[in-house]
Amino acid sequence: MHEMSICEGILQVIEDQAVAQDFKEVKRVRLEVGPMAGVELEALQFSYDVVTRGTIADHSKLEVINLPIDAWCMPCAQKVVVKERFDACPDCGSHQVQINGGDELRIKDMEVN
Ligand SMILES: [Zn+2]
């Protein structure tokens, strides 16, 4: 499962940070996820609980922040924000919209003890 390896990656970052910043317990992790990251949030949550069991992040809460998609509208010649991949430009309704990014998946911050 794709989500499982993502969570292993998250845990790796947490454990590296724990050594670098000398904390013993993680209470909450906030994860920024773009709509195109291709993760299933329920599976992510489940994998997180499995992967963190018995680690310093055991019983911590994984909070997902859904990021909007940055796009470029060609008729408007400006940056716009859309919610879905095939959304039209919110200003002019054109579908000549180029998507930039949206596949982000990164830890925003964490609450530690
Ligand atoms: Zn437009």
Side-chain angles (χ1 to χ4, degrees), residues 72-78 80 88-97:
W72 179 262
C73 176
M74 284 182 265
C76 294
Q78 69 169 356
V80 295
C89 168
D91 287 343
C92 71
S94 164
H95 278 275
Q96 284 176 275
V97 172

